[in-house]
Amino acid sequence: MGIVAGLDSSPDFTRIVVCDADTGAVLRQGYAPHPVESPDGTARPSDVDPQAWLLSLGEAAGGGLLEGVQAIGVSAQQNAVVPLDAQGNTVRPAMVGGDKRAQVAAADLIDALGGREAWAQAVGCVPQAAQPVTKLRWLAKTEPENGVRAAVLMQAHDWLVWQLLGRPVRRTTDRGGASGTGYWSAATGTYRSDLVELALGHQAMLPEVIGPAEAAGTTPEGLLISAGTGETMAAAFGLGIGLGDAVVSLGASGSVMAVHPEALVDSSGMITSLADATGMHLPVVTTLNAVRTLRGAAELLGVADLEGLSDLAMKSTPGSHGLVLLPYLEGERTPQLPHTAGMLAGLRRESMKPEHLARAAFEGMLCGLADALDVLRGRGVEVRRIFLLGAAAELSAVQAAAPMLFGAQVVVPQPADYAAIGAARQAAWALGVSQGTLDPRTPPVWQGAAAQVLEPGEELAVGQAVRQQFVSVREQTHPGAFRA
């Protein structure tokens, strides 16, 4: 079929991979940072001129990187809102990231619709500060003139696709990107324009949601541009996860997502019901405390880095000599305990050693993520294999404890630009469908990610005992925290 490209416009940089359309083999790569600040340095970090994304894209594609490419897929940071006026000009800089300015707006929106359950039923998620629907509420309340001028609403990948196509009249998005807005329902596959009006105060034009294998259009030079999607969906597609697979991401906070055939409605708001890049669904559960738990423990113990903390933890044994760390250092979202604090239980004279506290930090972090996995399992989501992502996934203490605590095979992929690879795979799919060589219901089969595979093996029973120790402390401290 030839060669295709995937570009991932993250919050800080653009990565481009050029791949063989048949196998997915990466042939060439490009990279460029984003010039995120305005020339006078006054732009707030939550406000970014979207032209910066185009400048970065052009730099990353320099040196003939895209020569011979037949199709491009676009992945981009989620939750970025680009408000345009009726002529297609930006009303103000794009609102990006986890915008703390919008926390009050999130609470306002939840109350305005009648509570968390009403939102979960409407669009499969409860408004958070980062979400586009919440940022629209903030815009209407804080910058009313800009709010009134906002006639068209786009996300980062929508806007980039539109620019690559020469700003056509038709504006498009995909299910994955739309499902994170807070005004499109993955369950019904439709926009809730009434929620846009609730947030913004008036209706606005929204991009057409096209299918996973559809093309958004073709450039004047004949380059096919696929639908594009959000970074989370693109990374899942690049990893090649399917039914029975879950992805656990270890950042400062953590997230657990899995492929599922239907949208999940969760009245507690712990599950965010997203769509994936293939026509399936991608329920996500987020924890506020993952690697920040390890960093806190390292600072407490005077250990220089996480590798040192891991080495220390490996001197202990499963169960940390009875120490249990509830890792709710920033409050917690799973379970819903926004105002709580972390806790260390099981202190005895023999357990008061640095290696046991180090081990308890790893076990507490992973047990918190196992709780998030159980939220999905409790709703019928099948989890046979778990992909573990993030730099901390390489730590020996994580690899030793994760399989037994998660109770499943753990796959640690080698670091790669999976969001860009997923975007390229989407481009190959759209190209194949346009040429009549691929089925619009079946994506191209690409070689899987190179990975280390870890089995729970004989330590499964030990892991279950450690989990039970953690659950007992959690239930004593926060009884009924996971009850609906």
Side-chain angles (χ1 to χ4, degrees), residues 386 388 393 395 398-400 402-403 408-412 452-457:
I386 295 167
L388 200 56
L395 298 173
V398 169
Q399 295 191 3
Q409 182 187 85
V410 170
V411 179
V412 184
Q452 186 177 1
V453 178
L454 309 168
E455 299 284 356

Side-chain angles (χ1 to χ4, degrees), residues 1 13 38 98 148 393 400 468:
M1 268 166 44
F13 55 79
S38 62
V148 169
Q468 189 52 53

Side-chain angles (χ1 to χ4, degrees), residues 191-216:
Y191 279 117
R192 286 289 301 266
S193 54
D194 59 316
L195 298 183
V196 174
E197 187 165 354
L198 180 69
L200 190 59
H202 62 86
Q203 293 290 344
M205 188 175 294
L206 303 170
E208 176 189 346
V209 181
I210 61 176
E214 286 186 64

Side-chain angles (χ1 to χ4, degrees), residues 44-50 53 80-83 90 92-96 101:
R44 288 171 290 196
S46 298
D47 295 334
V48 175
D49 183 349
W53 306 334
V81 184
V82 186
T90 52
R92 69 177 313 283
M95 296 176 283
V96 303
R101 295 174 299 179

Side-chain angles (χ1 to χ4, degrees), residues 113-130:
L113 196 64
R116 302 172 68 85
E117 187 167 358
W119 279 96
Q121 293 286 347
V123 287
C125 61
V126 178
Q128 304 284 334

Side-chain angles (χ1 to χ4, degrees), residues 105 147 195-196 340 370 381 405 460:
L195 298 183
V196 174
T340 193
V381 177
L405 294 177
L460 182 58

Side-chain angles (χ1 to χ4, degrees), residues 73-214:
V74 177
S75 155
Q77 60 180 304
Q78 287 155 243
N79 297 324
V81 184
V82 186
L84 307 176
D85 64 19
Q87 288 72 47
N89 302 311
T90 52
V91 167
R92 69 177 313 283
M95 296 176 283
V96 303
D99 197 336
K100 290 186 177 180
R101 295 174 299 179
Q103 286 175 340
V104 173
D108 285 348
L109 280 176
I110 292 169
D111 291 342
L113 196 64
R116 302 172 68 85
E117 187 167 358
W119 279 96
Q121 293 286 347
V123 287
C125 61
V126 178
Q128 304 284 334
Q131 278 185 301
V133 70
T134 306
K135 289 170 177 166
L136 296 182
R137 179 75 158 200
W138 178 89
L139 182 65
K141 295 291 186 184
T142 313
E143 300 177 3
E145 290 184 7
N146 287 335
V148 169
R149 289 176 58 214
V152 182
L153 303 175
M154 304 187 86
Q155 292 190 85
H157 83 265
D158 310 337
W159 188 84
L160 284 166
V161 165
W162 185 58
Q163 295 291 329
L164 289 173
L165 290 172
R167 298 163 59 104
V169 173
R170 183 194 191 210
R171 300 177 180 91
T172 63
T173 190
D174 84 308
R175 297 169 64 254
S179 67
T181 59
Y183 44 81
W184 186 87
S185 167
T188 63
T190 56
Y191 279 117
R192 286 289 301 266
S193 54
D194 59 316
L195 298 183
V196 174
E197 187 165 354
L198 180 69
L200 190 59
H202 62 86
Q203 293 290 344
M205 188 175 294
L206 303 170
E208 176 189 346
V209 181
I210 61 176
E214 286 186 64

Side-chain angles (χ1 to χ4, degrees), residues 80-470:
V81 184
V82 186
L84 307 176
D85 64 19
Q87 288 72 47
N89 302 311
T90 52
V91 167
R92 69 177 313 283
M95 296 176 283
V96 303
D99 197 336
K100 290 186 177 180
R101 295 174 299 179
Q103 286 175 340
V104 173
D108 285 348
L109 280 176
I110 292 169
D111 291 342
L113 196 64
R116 302 172 68 85
E117 187 167 358
W119 279 96
Q121 293 286 347
V123 287
C125 61
V126 178
Q128 304 284 334
Q131 278 185 301
V133 70
T134 306
K135 289 170 177 166
L136 296 182
R137 179 75 158 200
W138 178 89
L139 182 65
K141 295 291 186 184
T142 313
E143 300 177 3
E145 290 184 7
N146 287 335
V148 169
R149 289 176 58 214
V152 182
L153 303 175
M154 304 187 86
Q155 292 190 85
H157 83 265
D158 310 337
W159 188 84
L160 284 166
V161 165
W162 185 58
Q163 295 291 329
L164 289 173
L165 290 172
R167 298 163 59 104
V169 173
R170 183 194 191 210
R171 300 177 180 91
T172 63
T173 190
D174 84 308
R175 297 169 64 254
S179 67
T181 59
Y183 44 81
W184 186 87
S185 167
T188 63
T190 56
Y191 279 117
R192 286 289 301 266
S193 54
D194 59 316
L195 298 183
V196 174
E197 187 165 354
L198 180 69
L200 190 59
H202 62 86
Q203 293 290 344
M205 188 175 294
L206 303 170
E208 176 189 346
V209 181
I210 61 176
E214 286 186 64
T218 306
T219 68
E221 299 78 26
L223 191 64
L224 183 142
I225 309 293
S226 65
T229 195
E231 273 189 317
T232 297
M233 300 79 188
F237 198 39
L239 281 167
I241 69 168
L243 290 174
D245 291 334
V247 176
V248 173
S249 295
L250 300 176
S253 55
S255 68
V256 177
M257 63 181 178
V259 178
H260 197 56
E262 59 189 30
L264 297 178
V265 173
D266 174 41
S267 59
S268 74
M270 283 191 287
I271 298 174
T272 297
S273 193
L274 301 177
D276 79 346
T278 72
M280 301 285 276
H281 294 269
L282 204 62
V284 179
V285 180
T286 302
T287 70
L288 295 182
N289 302 279
V291 175
R292 62 166 44 101
T293 306
L294 305 183
R295 296 204 182 282
E299 289 172 13
L300 182 65
L301 292 168
V303 179
D305 53 30
L306 296 187
E307 288 75 14
L309 187 72
S310 175
D311 292 342
L312 188 59
M314 293 299 285
K315 295 177 181 176
S316 182
T317 53
S320 310
H321 272 243
L323 280 188
V324 175
L325 178 66
L326 294 185
Y328 305 151
L329 308 184
E330 298 281 327
E332 189 46 81
R333 188 174 157 189
T334 306
Q336 288 278 354
L337 299 167
H339 306 300
T340 193
M343 183 182 136
L344 186 63
L347 281 170
R348 296 180 182 276
R349 178 65 189 88
E350 62 271 18
S351 66
M352 295 177 73
K353 293 182 179 178
E355 59 266 31
H356 302 324
L357 178 55
R359 177 91 189 194
F362 282 94
E363 290 179 345
M365 175 188 76
L366 292 170
C367 283
L369 288 160
D371 279 350
L373 270 168
D374 284 349
V375 170
L376 294 178
R377 284 171 165 147
R379 293 297 307 277
V381 177
E382 186 179 9
V383 179
R384 294 192 306 267
R385 183 172 64 159
I386 295 167
F387 286 77
L388 200 56
L389 302 185
E394 302 288 333
L395 298 173
S396 55
V398 169
Q399 295 191 3
M404 70 168 90
L405 294 177
F406 292 158
Q409 182 187 85
V410 170
V411 179
V412 184
Q414 288 184 3
D417 301 322
Y418 291 110
I421 291 168
R425 189 179 177 205
Q426 187 193 66
W429 194 4
L431 180 64
V433 169
S434 74
Q435 295 174 339
T437 57
L438 287 177
D439 189 320
R441 295 163 299 182
T442 309
V445 178
W446 278 14
Q447 57 199 22
Q452 186 177 1
V453 178
L454 309 168
E455 299 284 356
E458 296 177 358
E459 298 215 297
L460 182 58
V462 176
Q464 288 176 329
V466 175
R467 273 294 317 279
Q468 189 52 53
Q469 182 176 270
F470 178 90

